Amino acid sequence: MSKEATVLFDAPGPRARARNTMVTVVASIVLLGILAAFLWRFNDKGQFAGELWSPFTKWTVWDKLILPGLWSTLKAAAVASVLALLFGVVFGLARLSDHWWVRVPAGVVVEFFRAIPLLILIFLAFFIPNKISPTIADSAFGTFQRVLVDNVFSVFGVEINAGTITVPAFAAVVFGLVLYNGSVLAEVVRAGVLSIPKGQAEAAYSVGLRKNGVMRLILLPQAVTVMMPAIVSQLVVLLKDTALGFIIAYSELLSAGFRQVPANYHNNKIQAGIVVAVIYIAINMAVSRFATWLEARSRRSRKTEAKTMGADVVAPPAPGMAAGGAASGV
Amino acid sequence: MFDFGPFFDNIDQILEGFWATIRLAALSAVLSLLIGTLLVSFRVAPVPLLRVVGTGYVNIVRNTPLTLVLLMCSLGLNDVLALKFSDNPSTTYYWWAVLGLSGYTAAFVCESLRAGINTVPLGQAEAARSVGLTFSQSLRIVILPQAFRSVIAPLGSVMIAMIKNTTVASAASYAEAAAVMKDLLDQPSFTSGALPLFIGVAIGFMILTLPTGFFFGWLHKRMAVAR
């Protein structure tokens, strides 16, 4: 309970205590009522049957379905996190460039990918290459396309056969996650660098550093401290968003737990959903706890002038908003 | 490759998808703001039980993927438990999509508002108490109005994220813009129109998100609390 909130009310006296007790009783009755109605319905539809719950006590279910799914989720999240951070640093710094021909295109890219839904980006990567690649293969860029796929995208399992590109679901999910979260991280990087007091850069220039040195030796190291909590929170968003892989049948945790398990064990969708949700919540809360810890640590540290943007604060305002202020990642 | 013919041939279907997106987003915006406000008043209430309920809800919902939330609503609650809003499938899936999306977004609205409550100076709450306002009065009359005005920009970001999140409802049997896009791309004959379709849908979403951003940015400046 934060200090600011408790200031909203006095330490309760006898009447307030009585009132609070009454509210507690009424609220409990309402909540228990909702819960009871739900459980009654649950029982009515036979959802307490042991065969619906018992699959989760079997090792083969975990070994063959849920753990491989979890592994796919973590793999996609890890690869996408690294690439998104790279994307974020490159485009975040590009947006701070002194040259308009670097700054403007980078800005357009970042704002574009922030303004459209992640799922649409995943569809772009998953469906569109195999539709348009035969046309490209017949054109002057055919060789270029083949070389590009063979040498770069093959790392992600992308294949090219007779001019038609097949993108595996993994690559499509990673592509979408990188472009979307990378753009958000680019804004975080930009905000982080801009939040460093101007005197730091001025002092660096005055001792004779060039722009590159100022950025690399003075501004970025401090900005990293500022950005850390926001970056980790964004990685939670990224991890959660891997669940969109479900829609294009990437066999991640949600797909394995919520599609495969019910398909094999008496359609136990609700039970499977609860188990999968618990796994997601445990992972995400652990990562969030880490972000809070990082934030507290860097607030204590006296090495830097920089103030962190806060653990609850995730990203700069959404596209189209010039106003300052922080936003939560959704 | 840049043949916009197929795109315009299916424009009716695409516009219908966007109309479904707008209907979902508009209702979810209103509902999520209401639920979010209720949740934040729970989280700062003097009654411990309400605080636990509010905190528990926010932590659970915020850490669950939206895809799972919406799938649980449509496949779990609607199909398995047969908690239907209507016998018409498209109506009941619409309402479950609205409820799921609002319930999910409300957790983020609540967090933004709580950050806003923290920006209200201590003296304001103390003054409210000293003139004898009760908890609910001081929250209603003094604290929340100022909190709302200071978090318009973050709320705008939450709303924009919500608009983009409507696409996930396509997984929960609700035919909005992303679902229409997927249906069209699933047709083998739909080849040369693929890239224009992406561009069209992307522009459609930018038409929804960018003005919302400008609006909230403008509102934020206009409503800023002068201190």
Side-chain angles (χ1 to χ4, degrees):
Chain A
M1 196 74 260
S2 63
K3 197 161 78 264
E4 287 81 356
T6 42
V7 85
L8 283 171
F9 47 84
D10 278 310
R15 275 176 62 196
R17 270 205 299 274
R19 198 170 54 228
N20 286 355
T21 316
M22 210 180 71
V23 174
T24 308
V25 170
V26 172
S28 321
I29 291 173
V30 170
L31 288 170
L32 287 176
I34 295 172
L35 190 69
F38 184 76
L39 290 181
W40 182 75
R41 184 76 180 193
F42 210 70
N43 190 32
D44 214 34
K45 295 284 167 192
Q47 293 299 309
F48 281 117
E51 69 199 25
L52 298 179
W53 296 90
S54 61
F56 296 102
T57 60
K58 289 186 194 137
W59 173 242
T60 65
V61 172
W62 290 87
D63 189 41
K64 292 278 184 291
L65 293 170
I66 297 180
L67 291 181
L70 180 61
W71 170 241
S72 302
T73 288
L74 295 177
K75 197 171 62 175
V79 173
S81 298
V82 172
L83 293 178
L85 277 171
L86 205 67
F87 185 101
V89 170
V90 169
F91 278 85
L93 294 184
R95 283 201 83 176
L96 292 165
S97 167
D98 289 338
H99 311 289
W100 68 266
W101 48 269
V102 178
R103 199 170 55 226
V104 173
V108 170
V109 168
V110 167
E111 293 297 323
F112 177 75
F113 288 121
R114 256 154 41 92
I116 61 175
L118 175 53
L119 188 62
I120 301 292
L121 286 175
I122 293 178
F123 283 174
L124 168 71
F126 191 63
F127 293 108
I128 294 181
N130 78 45
K131 301 241 173 194
I132 62 172
S133 55
T135 324
I136 300 178
D138 291 339
S139 73
F141 296 104
T143 319
F144 175 67
Q145 172 177 270
R146 203 181 59 239
V147 170
L148 202 64
V149 170
D150 281 344
N151 293 313
V152 183
F153 296 112
S154 56
V155 180
F156 298 102
V158 180
E159 281 172 2
I160 184 160
N161 270 322
T164 304
I165 296 178
T166 355
V167 180
F170 170 77
V173 171
V174 168
F175 174 87
L177 288 173
V178 168
L179 289 185
Y180 176 71
N181 293 287
S183 301
V184 175
L185 288 173
E187 286 296 277
V188 173
V189 168
R190 193 169 73 116
V193 171
L194 287 178
S195 75
I196 309 296
K198 238 171 76 188
Q200 296 279 333
E202 285 165 359
Y205 280 118
S206 76
V207 296
L209 286 177
R210 298 211 190 125
K211 169 132 180 131
N212 168 28
V214 173
M215 191 58 87
R216 194 163 44 85
L217 300 171
I218 309 295
L219 296 184
L220 264 185
Q222 295 192 75
V224 166
T225 322
V226 179
M227 297 173 318
M228 227 7 157
I231 289 175
V232 179
S233 310
Q234 188 60 35
L235 296 185
V236 172
V237 175
L238 188 152
L239 184 78
K240 251 176 24 172
D241 282 345
T242 56
L244 286 174
F246 181 92
I247 298 172
I248 56 163
Y250 175 54
S251 59
E252 40 69 69
L253 179 55
L254 185 60
S255 207
F258 197 73
R259 190 164 17 221
Q260 306 292 341
V261 175
N264 290 317
Y265 295 94
H266 316 288
N267 200 22
N268 57 350
K269 287 213 177 73
I270 295 190
Q271 295 76 3
I274 293 171
V275 171
V276 171
V278 168
I279 301 175
Y280 272 112
I281 292 167
I283 300 174
N284 288 332
M285 281 182 113
V287 181
S288 303
R289 193 61 56 83
F290 177 64
T292 316
W293 175 80
L294 266 181
E295 208 258 330
R297 199 187 69 143
S298 53
R299 213 179 324 111
R300 280 197 308 272
S301 155
R302 269 174 299 165
K303 276 193 207 137
T304 166
E305 276 286 288
K307 299 264 190 303
T308 66
M309 297 197 277
D312 289 334
V313 174
V314 174
M321 253 186 286
S328 314
V330 181
Chain B
M1 216 165 88
F2 290 100
D3 176 14
F4 273 87
F7 177 77
F8 286 109
D9 289 344
N10 294 290
I11 193 76
D12 287 352
Q13 211 183 333
I14 294 165
L15 286 180
E16 212 173 293
F18 271 107
W19 175 234
T21 297
I22 293 169
R23 280 193 309 158
L24 177 58
L27 200 53
S28 299
V30 176
L31 262 182
S32 63
L33 285 174
L34 289 177
I35 304 173
T37 313
L38 185 72
L39 277 175
V40 80
S41 52
F42 275 17
R43 288 201 74 172
V44 297
V47 181
L49 177 75
L50 293 183
R51 288 206 295 267
V52 170
V53 170
T55 312
Y57 180 89
V58 168
N59 278 334
I60 289 174
V61 171
R62 214 161 58 125
N63 289 308
T64 312
L66 176 64
T67 322
L68 179 56
V69 173
L70 288 175
L71 286 172
M72 276 294 257
C73 286
S74 69
L75 301 179
L77 300 176
N78 186 72
D79 294 359
V80 178
L81 291 190
L83 296 167
K84 291 180 193 295
F85 284 98
S86 140
D87 287 333
N88 178 357
S90 76
T91 315
T92 187
Y93 285 131
Y94 168 68
W95 283 103
W96 274 118
V98 167
L99 215 62
L101 192 59
S102 316
Y104 179 82
T105 311
F108 295 90
V109 170
C110 169
E111 286 305 274
S112 295
L113 275 177
R114 207 162 63 97
I117 288 181
N118 288 343
T119 67
V120 178
L122 218 72
Q124 295 281 329
E126 285 169 349
R129 268 165 55 195
S130 74
V131 296
L133 297 188
T134 64
F135 166 74
S136 69
Q137 282 172 329
S138 72
L139 194 65
R140 247 187 11 238
I141 304 170
V142 180
I143 308 295
L144 273 184
Q146 296 186 58
F148 258 109
R149 285 171 66 170
S150 69
V151 293
I152 288 173
L155 277 183
S157 298
V158 171
M159 289 302 130
I160 287 168
M162 187 272 292
I163 294 174
K164 291 187 284 181
N165 278 338
T166 54
T167 51
V168 183
S170 63
S173 318
Y174 179 62
E176 43 62 71
V180 170
M181 180 181 175
K182 186 168 182 291
D183 281 350
L184 288 174
L185 288 172
D186 275 341
Q187 295 170 13
S189 60
F190 200 88
T191 50
S192 62
L195 205 54
L197 176 66
F198 165 74
I199 296 169
V201 173
I203 290 174
F205 273 101
M206 288 169 84
I207 292 173
L208 294 181
T209 54
L210 292 180
T212 312
F214 289 130
F215 169 73
F216 275 99
W218 170 82
L219 200 67
H220 172 78
K221 280 214 192 80
R222 203 182 125 76
M223 303 291 280
V225 185
R227 290 209 173 97

